[in-house]
Amino acid sequence: MSSGPLPGLPPGPRVPTAFQTLAMVTRQRPQLERLRRRYGNMFTVKVAGFGPFVVLGDPALVKQVFTADPKVLHAGDHSPLRTILGRHSLLGIDEERHLEQRRLLLPPFKGQRIQGYESLIEEITLAEIADWPTGREFSVAGSMQRITLRAILRAIFGASGEELRELEELMPAHTEQGSRLATATYLQRDLGPWSPWARFLRSRAKIDTVLDRLIAMAKADPDLEDRPDVLALLVQATHTDGTPMANDEIRDQLVTMMAAGHETTAHQLSWAVERLRRHPDVLARLVEEADEGGKALREATIREVQRTRPVIFFAGRYCMEPYELGGYVLPKGTRVGLAAALTHFDPELFEDAGRFNPDRFLDRLPDTYSWIPFGGGMRRCIGATFAHMEMDVVLRVLLQHVTLAPTSDPDEGWRFRGVAMAPDRGGRVVITPRSGKTSTTKLLVGNIAA
């Protein structure tokens, strides 16, 4: 006779929290695999600042959590990103308020509007790679950050001129600082003008000043109703009681899209370069496909890069009341982490899971609850389609205009940046312009500058 679900947490290591935290920060992937081998696809770890943390690698349990009642499992108000992005951020709110904001923000990231951004992404990428050095190794990380941030600012915000320049200057350092502070909750206090939190708040104040100018310009735009960008939608939006959104609400959503929208895609593109240089057979096929105008292998490659090098290891939830999961009744206040770092590498889910093999996705899409780089359910990243399009266009431009030199160097390691995982050397590359492409690229860039 079944004894029913057990109250409490699933098993996990008993070593002190400090040691578990250190392992999760410095050797997260190997540590998770070691714990899965010992405890299975559901176990508990203890991380400083977060308490007990239940890790899931079973797609059935992942599905249960992604589709759970949002009143029972919150993802926003207990997220470490809430204090970093703002209390109004889409990533920091729950239930009806989250659904209201999600419905408002989603339209610019769907359908024909996404296709309309492709030429802009191509233009931005061509301008960036025109300055790449030839024949010597460099890191693509900075370039990818500039491409993805400018894409968000121009396509989604409609920013230009001085405001575009200022945000491009302010956001990279602000995002990096915020990522490191997100999980270092003990540093989120003002200990004087040069403390990390005080510097972060000063940086955010500068960004808010620029955003207030953009908001004022949008409100004064006589063509506001015809604008398709997110800023225009937010300026015109009203709450259910008919009141307009306040500036601080709009700013939090804009900062969320800038920070979350550019950093993760930039890291993923850096990983793509790192992977392709070490798989020259795939690289050669991609070049041939791009020259012929195809994209099936490129799209499969993007999904395989996201599987083998996910930049976000966990989608988090917080139990607002006791919650039955996997044979346990988790206490109120338990954090649950749905681990792409486990499902993506499970040999039961992906044949030869440790191998980089884009062909696995040529004839089929990934399973919704095994392949989770964008999270899932009603909290799935609203920018997922935009990010995929952006990666597709950037990679196509690279394949068509430069030759990526293959390498036999060891794989780049994982570098934990507080929220996301990036290549520890920034995606090192050696390029040469493709024959007949150099003059075309310079001509296009000249036209852009003009």
Side-chain angles (χ1 to χ4, degrees), residues 17-33:
T17 299
F19 290 103
Q20 294 192 49
T21 303
L22 181 64
M24 289 296 288
V25 170
T26 61
R27 292 179 53 79
Q28 196 167 136
R29 263 280 301 143
Q31 173 71 350
L32 288 170
E33 284 292 354

mmCIF file of all heavy atoms in Angstrom, residues 17-33:
data_model
loop_
_atom_site.group_PDB
_atom_site.id
_atom_site.type_symbol
_atom_site.label_atom_id
_atom_site.label_comp_id
_atom_site.label_asym_id
_atom_site.label_seq_id
_atom_site.Cartn_x
_atom_site.Cartn_y
_atom_site.Cartn_z
ATOM 1 N N THR A 17 26.571 24.616 3.878
ATOM 2 C CA THR A 17 26.064 25.486 2.813
ATOM 3 C C THR A 17 27.190 26.219 2.088
ATOM 4 O O THR A 17 27.147 26.388 0.862
ATOM 5 C CB THR A 17 25.063 26.510 3.399
ATOM 6 O OG1 THR A 17 23.956 25.804 3.969
ATOM 7 C CG2 THR A 17 24.561 27.464 2.329
ATOM 8 N N ALA A 18 28.204 26.647 2.807
ATOM 9 C CA ALA A 18 29.300 27.398 2.189
ATOM 10 C C ALA A 18 29.985 26.568 1.103
ATOM 11 O O ALA A 18 30.314 27.086 0.023
ATOM 12 C CB ALA A 18 30.316 27.816 3.249
ATOM 13 N N PHE A 19 30.193 25.274 1.367
ATOM 14 C CA PHE A 19 30.845 24.415 0.384
ATOM 15 C C PHE A 19 29.942 24.154 -0.820
ATOM 16 O O PHE A 19 30.393 24.125 -1.963
ATOM 17 C CB PHE A 19 31.262 23.097 1.026
ATOM 18 C CG PHE A 19 32.398 23.226 2.002
ATOM 19 C CD1 PHE A 19 32.161 23.196 3.365
ATOM 20 C CD2 PHE A 19 33.702 23.408 1.568
ATOM 21 C CE1 PHE A 19 33.198 23.332 4.277
ATOM 22 C CE2 PHE A 19 34.751 23.536 2.462
ATOM 23 C CZ PHE A 19 34.501 23.508 3.826
ATOM 24 N N GLN A 20 28.651 23.965 -0.544
ATOM 25 C CA GLN A 20 27.703 23.765 -1.640
ATOM 26 C C GLN A 20 27.614 25.006 -2.517
ATOM 27 O O GLN A 20 27.578 24.912 -3.748
ATOM 28 C CB GLN A 20 26.324 23.409 -1.087
ATOM 29 C CG GLN A 20 26.261 22.067 -0.369
ATOM 30 C CD GLN A 20 24.829 21.640 -0.096
ATOM 31 O OE1 GLN A 20 23.983 21.659 -0.988
ATOM 32 N NE2 GLN A 20 24.557 21.251 1.141
ATOM 33 N N THR A 21 27.592 26.169 -1.889
ATOM 34 C CA THR A 21 27.528 27.425 -2.640
ATOM 35 C C THR A 21 28.751 27.583 -3.519
ATOM 36 O O THR A 21 28.644 27.957 -4.699
ATOM 37 C CB THR A 21 27.406 28.617 -1.681
ATOM 38 O OG1 THR A 21 26.242 28.445 -0.859
ATOM 39 C CG2 THR A 21 27.292 29.923 -2.443
ATOM 40 N N LEU A 22 29.919 27.317 -2.957
ATOM 41 C CA LEU A 22 31.163 27.434 -3.722
ATOM 42 C C LEU A 22 31.150 26.510 -4.933
ATOM 43 O O LEU A 22 31.532 26.910 -6.046
ATOM 44 C CB LEU A 22 32.358 27.112 -2.821
ATOM 45 C CG LEU A 22 33.744 27.220 -3.474
ATOM 46 C CD1 LEU A 22 34.016 28.658 -3.895
ATOM 47 C CD2 LEU A 22 34.814 26.724 -2.506
ATOM 48 N N ALA A 23 30.676 25.286 -4.752
ATOM 49 C CA ALA A 23 30.620 24.336 -5.864
ATOM 50 C C ALA A 23 29.647 24.799 -6.939
ATOM 51 O O ALA A 23 29.913 24.663 -8.139
ATOM 52 C CB ALA A 23 30.214 22.956 -5.350
ATOM 53 N N MET A 24 28.522 25.389 -6.522
ATOM 54 C CA MET A 24 27.519 25.835 -7.487
ATOM 55 C C MET A 24 27.971 27.083 -8.240
ATOM 56 O O MET A 24 27.499 27.365 -9.329
ATOM 57 C CB MET A 24 26.195 26.116 -6.778
ATOM 58 C CG MET A 24 25.490 24.866 -6.283
ATOM 59 S SD MET A 24 24.970 23.759 -7.627
ATOM 60 C CE MET A 24 23.625 24.713 -8.323
ATOM 61 N N VAL A 25 28.888 27.839 -7.673
ATOM 62 C CA VAL A 25 29.382 29.042 -8.344
ATOM 63 C C VAL A 25 30.555 28.719 -9.255
ATOM 64 O O VAL A 25 30.651 29.226 -10.375
ATOM 65 C CB VAL A 25 29.788 30.112 -7.302
ATOM 66 C CG1 VAL A 25 30.533 31.259 -7.969
ATOM 67 C CG2 VAL A 25 28.544 30.645 -6.592
ATOM 68 N N THR A 26 31.460 27.853 -8.798
ATOM 69 C CA THR A 26 32.705 27.625 -9.537
ATOM 70 C C THR A 26 32.654 26.415 -10.456
ATOM 71 O O THR A 26 33.377 26.379 -11.459
ATOM 72 C CB THR A 26 33.874 27.458 -8.557
ATOM 73 O OG1 THR A 26 33.636 26.315 -7.713
ATOM 74 C CG2 THR A 26 34.041 28.697 -7.690
ATOM 75 N N ARG A 27 31.839 25.422 -10.119
ATOM 76 C CA ARG A 27 31.788 24.189 -10.927
ATOM 77 C C ARG A 27 30.337 23.728 -11.061
ATOM 78 O O ARG A 27 30.006 22.573 -10.764
ATOM 79 C CB ARG A 27 32.644 23.091 -10.281
ATOM 80 C CG ARG A 27 34.136 23.380 -10.316
ATOM 81 C CD ARG A 27 34.944 22.279 -9.640
ATOM 82 N NE ARG A 27 34.650 20.952 -10.167
ATOM 83 C CZ ARG A 27 35.135 20.465 -11.307
ATOM 84 N NH1 ARG A 27 35.925 21.220 -12.058
ATOM 85 N NH2 ARG A 27 34.831 19.252 -11.704
ATOM 86 N N GLN A 28 29.494 24.624 -11.536
ATOM 87 C CA GLN A 28 28.058 24.363 -11.498
ATOM 88 C C GLN A 28 27.651 23.143 -12.310
ATOM 89 O O GLN A 28 26.947 22.260 -11.819
ATOM 90 C CB GLN A 28 27.301 25.612 -11.971
ATOM 91 C CG GLN A 28 25.835 25.589 -11.602
ATOM 92 C CD GLN A 28 25.154 26.937 -11.776
ATOM 93 O OE1 GLN A 28 24.062 27.000 -12.300
ATOM 94 N NE2 GLN A 28 25.794 28.009 -11.343
ATOM 95 N N ARG A 29 28.082 23.059 -13.573
ATOM 96 C CA ARG A 29 27.702 21.918 -14.418
ATOM 97 C C ARG A 29 28.215 20.593 -13.859
ATOM 98 O O ARG A 29 27.432 19.653 -13.672
ATOM 99 C CB ARG A 29 28.214 22.127 -15.846
ATOM 100 C CG ARG A 29 27.187 22.710 -16.805
ATOM 101 C CD ARG A 29 26.211 21.667 -17.335
ATOM 102 N NE ARG A 29 26.885 20.598 -18.024
ATOM 103 C CZ ARG A 29 26.524 19.328 -17.971
ATOM 104 N NH1 ARG A 29 25.500 18.958 -17.247
ATOM 105 N NH2 ARG A 29 27.179 18.397 -18.642
ATOM 106 N N PRO A 30 29.523 20.460 -13.564
ATOM 107 C CA PRO A 30 29.996 19.191 -13.009
ATOM 108 C C PRO A 30 29.327 18.832 -11.679
ATOM 109 O O PRO A 30 29.037 17.662 -11.425
ATOM 110 C CB PRO A 30 31.502 19.429 -12.826
ATOM 111 C CG PRO A 30 31.842 20.520 -13.768
ATOM 112 C CD PRO A 30 30.632 21.390 -13.834
ATOM 113 N N GLN A 31 29.078 19.849 -10.847
ATOM 114 C CA GLN A 31 28.434 19.591 -9.569
ATOM 115 C C GLN A 31 27.018 19.067 -9.764
ATOM 116 O O GLN A 31 26.601 18.105 -9.102
ATOM 117 C CB GLN A 31 28.419 20.874 -8.726
ATOM 118 C CG GLN A 31 27.614 20.797 -7.430
ATOM 119 C CD GLN A 31 28.256 19.936 -6.360
ATOM 120 O OE1 GLN A 31 29.228 19.229 -6.620
ATOM 121 N NE2 GLN A 31 27.730 19.986 -5.152
ATOM 122 N N LEU A 32 26.265 19.662 -10.676
ATOM 123 C CA LEU A 32 24.902 19.202 -10.918
ATOM 124 C C LEU A 32 24.901 17.772 -11.455
ATOM 125 O O LEU A 32 24.059 16.946 -11.057
ATOM 126 C CB LEU A 32 24.203 20.145 -11.904
ATOM 127 C CG LEU A 32 23.838 21.527 -11.355
ATOM 128 C CD1 LEU A 32 23.372 22.443 -12.484
ATOM 129 C CD2 LEU A 32 22.760 21.430 -10.283
ATOM 130 N N GLU A 33 25.820 17.459 -12.365
ATOM 131 C CA GLU A 33 25.882 16.095 -12.901
ATOM 132 C C GLU A 33 26.252 15.100 -11.804
ATOM 133 O O GLU A 33 25.709 13.989 -11.742
ATOM 134 C CB GLU A 33 26.896 16.013 -14.043
ATOM 135 C CG GLU A 33 26.401 16.603 -15.354
ATOM 136 C CD GLU A 33 25.254 15.790 -15.974
ATOM 137 O OE1 GLU A 33 24.913 14.706 -15.461
ATOM 138 O OE2 GLU A 33 24.686 16.264 -16.972
#
